[in-house]
Amino acid sequence: MPDLKIRELRTTLLRLPWAEDPWMKGHALGPQRDLVVVEVVTESGLTGLGYLHLLNLPLQRTIGACIAEALAPRVIDRDATEVEGIWRDLWRVTLTGGRGGVTMMAQSAIDIALWDVVGKAAGLPLHRLWGHCRSKIPIYGSGCFRGALGEGMAAKAKHYVAQGYKAIKMQAAHIGDWRQDVRNLRMVRDAVGPDVEIMIDINMGWTADQAIIAGRAFQEYDPYWIEEPVLADDFAGYLRCAEALTTRVVGGESHFGRDDLRPVLENPRLPILQPDPMRGGFTELRKIATVGATWGMTFAPHLFPELNVHILASIPNAIWAEQMGLLDDVWVEKPVIQDGFITAPERPGHGLAFKPEVLKDFVIA
């Protein structure tokens, strides 16, 4: 076994332009891609990689400072296999100023890097280290952005279907007219036909009563789910929507760990959980999946299929991965997606490595 004592925690801030992709039209994910990259370097030289993609969240330097000031001193000189102990310690040391937000995101990047080290040391991909369940997981094509309008969303949905996807996700709300959202859904349904699943992402854009009114109008076009219909903290609103609609109501991407999701877990009316690995790391998402399975809830984590594929391949209640292609151009080996499925890689750890030019050309001071 190599010496896995942690001798260095390297944090790099990257700012990349968006890849040239005509299908990104209408997105609201920020003018560039801001990443926080964390490398856990052990005495043996074995290094693990973690990262955060902040989307449009302007906290890149803040998270970097949090890692340097609060977290790195608690990690140096510990063994990289102490993943659970380190996760708990970082959560406790930031408890009075954290319990989520910046501190949870910062420790998530470290957690992802630690698991990468452990997998590499064992010579196993994470999905096999954790207990392999399947190699292929259904994946849906996401990012039919409201900013592209109904015609643009329908065109992108057809583009996904032409690639073999059996499900797509479109956006609604935030445009001021829920009736236009219904018309947009009708355009997308007409474009993809009756046999393709259509997920709808509200991005916390409505109150519960608005979501119920629009959701009932959506039902004519057979949507698969309505995602994040209300603000993340409006748990009563979530339950009202779930009780009033026959369409699945789902969520979880904006919540930080099991504690933040406790009202949903204690009242299991949401059939599918969608936590984000940037808000808890691998360690916390695996626990959410287990607790959810106890109550018959399935698991479709938010974005980042290159990371989430390992969890999905190792749990019995996996249902969907999400592909938006946001980082496909930065990896030495990008995710393998074909005919509506993503295949779990067999490289040790999570199997991800940034292209050298990405780490060289896009560093910010």
Side-chain angles (χ1 to χ4, degrees), residues 67-121:
I67 293 171
E69 294 176 1
L71 306 186
R74 311 287 299 197
V75 174
I76 301 299
D77 293 333
R78 298 181 70 165
D79 195 286
T81 60
E82 297 177 43
V83 183
E84 283 281 355
I86 290 172
W87 198 100
R88 182 69 178 176
D89 186 45
L90 297 183
W91 187 80
R92 290 287 303 183
V93 78
T94 59
L95 187 61
T96 57
R99 297 171 50 241
V102 166
T103 59
M104 180 76 85
M105 295 185 78
Q107 79 172 84
S108 297
I110 295 171
D111 184 79
I112 292 165
L114 288 172
W115 276 116
D116 192 33
V117 169
V118 173
K120 287 175 178 175

Side-chain angles (χ1 to χ4, degrees), residues 172-173 178 181-182 200-219 223 225-231 234 236-242 244-250:
W178 65 268
D181 290 310
V182 177
I200 304 176
D201 195 345
I202 309 304
N203 297 114
M204 302 186 287
W206 285 329
T207 58
D209 60 324
Q210 289 171 321
I212 291 167
I213 291 168
R216 286 173 175 164
F218 287 160
Q219 288 173 180
W225 73 40
I226 295 175
E227 178 178 336
E228 284 203 309
V230 297
L231 291 173
D234 185 6
Y238 265 106
L239 297 180
R240 283 175 59 199
C241 292
L245 299 174
T246 57
T247 304
R248 300 170 184 87
V249 174
V250 303

Side-chain angles (χ1 to χ4, degrees), residues 51 128 167 192 314:
Y51 74 93
R128 296 198 181 275
V192 301
S314 65

Side-chain angles (χ1 to χ4, degrees), residues 6-267:
I6 300 168
R7 63 177 171 84
E8 185 181 1
L9 199 67
R10 287 200 295 254
T11 302
T12 306
L13 307 183
L14 301 178
R15 178 158 291 160
L16 297 81
W18 288 99
E20 292 293 331
D21 182 354
W23 296 109
M24 289 298 291
K25 180 181 178 182
H27 78 75
L29 302 174
Q32 67 275 316
R33 293 175 287 180
D34 288 348
L35 276 68
V36 178
V37 178
V38 173
E39 294 170 284
V40 171
V41 184
T42 65
E43 290 290 354
S44 66
L46 200 64
T47 300
L49 172 70
Y51 74 93
L52 305 171
H53 182 191
L54 302 184
L55 301 176
N56 58 359
L57 191 64
L59 291 172
Q60 192 176 27
R61 295 180 188 277
T62 304
I63 291 172
C66 178
I67 293 171
E69 294 176 1
L71 306 186
R74 311 287 299 197
V75 174
I76 301 299
D77 293 333
R78 298 181 70 165
D79 195 286
T81 60
E82 297 177 43
V83 183
E84 283 281 355
I86 290 172
W87 198 100
R88 182 69 178 176
D89 186 45
L90 297 183
W91 187 80
R92 290 287 303 183
V93 78
T94 59
L95 187 61
T96 57
R99 297 171 50 241
V102 166
T103 59
M104 180 76 85
M105 295 185 78
Q107 79 172 84
S108 297
I110 295 171
D111 184 79
I112 292 165
L114 288 172
W115 276 116
D116 192 33
V117 169
V118 173
K120 287 175 178 175
L124 291 171
L126 292 178
H127 62 90
R128 296 198 181 275
L129 183 73
W130 294 331
H132 179 82
C133 193
R134 63 183 62 78
S135 291
K136 292 187 175 184
I137 300 97
I139 189 166
Y140 63 89
S142 187
C144 296
F145 301 112
R146 61 178 65 83
L149 308 180
E151 294 83 357
M153 287 190 278
K156 188 168 184 178
K158 288 179 67 175
H159 172 70
Y160 275 129
V161 172
Q163 297 177 68
Y165 286 82
K166 308 300 189 298
I168 63 92
K169 187 162 80 180
M170 60 176 284
Q171 293 182 329
H174 299 281
I175 62 172
D177 181 0
W178 65 268
R179 293 177 179 84
Q180 183 59 51
D181 290 310
V182 177
R183 291 190 286 270
N184 291 343
L185 173 57
R186 183 179 63 212
M187 278 187 268
V188 173
R189 174 56 75 198
D190 288 345
V192 301
D195 299 325
V196 173
E197 304 291 4
I198 300 176
M199 291 82 162
I200 304 176
D201 195 345
I202 309 304
N203 297 114
M204 302 186 287
W206 285 329
T207 58
D209 60 324
Q210 289 171 321
I212 291 167
I213 291 168
R216 286 173 175 164
F218 287 160
Q219 288 173 180
E220 179 180 349
Y221 304 102
D222 191 25
Y224 185 85
W225 73 40
I226 295 175
E227 178 178 336
E228 284 203 309
V230 297
L231 291 173
D233 291 333
D234 185 6
F235 294 106
Y238 265 106
L239 297 180
R240 283 175 59 199
C241 292
E243 290 168 356
L245 299 174
T246 57
T247 304
R248 300 170 184 87
V249 174
V250 303
E253 74 180 67
S254 300
H255 295 86
F256 289 85
R258 286 168 295 153
D259 291 329
D260 208 14
L261 279 170
R262 185 174 297 176
V264 171
L265 297 169
E266 290 177 341
N267 298 277

